[in-house]
Amino acid sequence: MRKIFSGITVVALAFVVFVCAMAEAAPPRVYMTKDISAAGLISVYNALESRAEGKNVAVKISTGERGGHNFLDPNLIKGLVQSVKGTIVECNTAYNGARAGTDSHMEVAREHGFTAIAKVDIQDAEGSIGLPVNNGRYFKENLVGSHFKNYDYYVVISHFKGHVMAGFGGAVKNISIGIASAKGKARIHSGGRSDTNPWGGDQTAFLESMAEAGKSVVDSLGGRILYINVMNRLSVDCDCDSSPAEPDMHDIGILASLDPVALDKACVDLVYAAPDGKSLIERMESRSGAHTLEHGEKIGLGSQRYELVKIDK
């Protein structure tokens, strides 16, 4: 009897270990709707297993360079931003454009309609603070705006599109380059070589620095962050471009996840699956954009495996 009981116990324990392993191996969920509207945005947010909590909620977007026109429509994000009582947050750019200084950046935010829907905070208006980059290859400290610490939770709403240097921009770019202060942007772009000059760095160092800077943000927030990507106006150029190329592919939808790597990978895969994604695919491949996600997975920022959950009825 003792041998039979022991055998049953071993089998039971093995089953528990198997179930636990399967649970740990379950890929992160990425929720998707084809409804690119204010209601669609709220629906993917509501599908997530987390909610924005706390007195001060930051909503990280790109306010878009003056002259551009592909940045997110304020009317698209208004409902969600106001429902979480969010403050739109941004940082100044490292290049000489209309958003390089706080006053002119706020003026662009006003021109583009963002100050009409919520308070806007340029987080590096009073300088930078450092976030530790654990085991970073290129720098040990990621520079973000000093106001970064003033918020309890971050809702990251990114316009997924191409980018002249990164290949594409989505959630990972928005939490790295996007949340970095002007000095931090230069540090990431240059692979740690300069805090003032963003140009001329090694491409691999730049892509990997983005992933590592993004992880420093995620580590510092300890789960108090979620990600939404809007796949419309899919230009090969970024919203930081004052004269972007017109999109030559169709809009796809809105996706959301608690994993930034999984979210961006799902968006990349949807571009590859699209019949008219040739231009954006060429932009991503010519800049080795996928390497950011590869490195992000390697350092524990997120997973390239995911479960796509379509929430449309």
Side-chain angles (χ1 to χ4, degrees):
M1 286 294 292
R2 184 176 297 174
K3 288 184 177 180
I4 293 173
F5 180 76
S6 298
I8 292 173
T9 302
V10 169
V11 171
L13 287 173
F15 178 76
V16 170
V17 170
F18 172 76
V19 170
C20 291
M22 289 298 292
E24 291 177 357
R29 290 181 174 179
V30 177
Y31 296 93
M32 177 182 178
T33 178
K34 293 182 180 179
D35 179 15
I36 303 177
S37 70
L41 187 69
I42 290 175
S43 69
V44 294
Y45 167 76
N46 286 335
L48 293 170
E49 300 86 1
S50 180
R51 294 288 183 276
E53 298 176 342
K55 182 179 179 181
N56 297 314
V57 175
V59 179
K60 176 63 185 75
I61 66 164
S62 169
T63 48
E65 191 60 47
R66 179 178 285 146
H69 49 269
N70 291 330
F71 54 85
L72 295 175
D73 185 341
N75 291 319
L76 175 68
I77 67 172
K78 177 181 177 180
L80 179 57
V81 173
Q82 294 184 351
S83 72
V84 300
K85 298 180 174 60
T87 296
I88 292 172
V89 300
E90 260 277 47
C91 275
N92 291 316
T93 62
Y95 58 83
N96 293 322
R99 298 183 300 147
T102 299
D103 290 342
S104 56
H105 194 160
M106 285 294 292
E107 181 61 20
V108 172
R110 185 194 65 78
E111 292 171 3
H112 289 174
F114 294 112
T115 59
I117 67 168
K119 180 183 176 181
V120 175
D121 178 14
I122 308 302
Q123 291 193 312
D124 61 339
E126 297 177 282
S128 305
I129 58 172
L131 302 181
V133 180
N134 297 318
N135 301 314
R137 293 185 62 183
Y138 305 99
F139 44 86
K140 300 301 181 183
E141 192 174 54
N142 176 34
L143 299 178
V144 300
S146 64
H147 297 178
F148 174 84
K149 64 183 182 298
N150 296 342
Y151 297 90
D152 305 308
Y153 199 102
Y154 277 72
V155 176
V156 180
I157 309 179
S158 309
H159 176 214
F160 188 89
K161 69 287 175 186
H163 188 270
V164 70
M165 293 183 67
F168 68 88
V172 174
K173 181 176 179 293
N174 206 2
I175 61 172
S176 56
I177 292 291
I179 286 181
S181 65
K183 288 184 177 180
K185 286 177 171 63
R187 182 175 291 189
I188 295 167
H189 268 287
S190 66
R193 293 180 7 181
S194 174
D195 289 353
T196 57
N197 181 9
W199 313 119
D202 175 77
Q203 180 69 359
T204 298
F206 164 53
L207 298 174
E208 293 184 354
S209 292
M210 276 203 300
E212 294 181 4
K215 189 168 187 299
S216 77
V217 169
V218 173
D219 289 347
S220 71
L221 291 172
R224 294 176 288 115
I225 187 169
L226 61 84
Y227 314 89
I228 302 173
N229 283 0
V230 180
M231 297 188 74
N232 71 340
R233 300 290 300 170
L234 290 158
S235 170
V236 298
D237 292 320
C238 181
D239 297 342
C240 59
D241 194 320
S242 61
S243 184
E246 280 297 302
D248 60 3
M249 67 177 296
H250 70 287
D251 294 346
I252 292 178
I254 305 177
L255 291 81
S257 182
L258 301 182
D259 184 314
V261 174
L263 179 57
D264 281 356
K265 183 63 164 64
C267 292
V268 168
D269 289 346
L270 286 168
V271 172
Y272 271 93
D276 52 359
K278 181 180 178 180
S279 297
L280 186 47
I281 290 169
E282 191 280 332
R283 174 58 57 91
M284 293 190 296
E285 291 184 348
S286 65
R287 273 62 171 183
S288 303
H291 185 62
T292 302
L293 303 184
E294 294 165 355
H295 191 64
E297 183 175 53
K298 180 180 178 181
I299 64 175
L301 175 59
S303 170
Q304 291 196 88
R305 295 175 59 244
Y306 61 89
E307 177 189 357
L308 186 64
V309 180
K310 297 180 180 180
I311 64 174
D312 293 318
K313 295 181 179 178

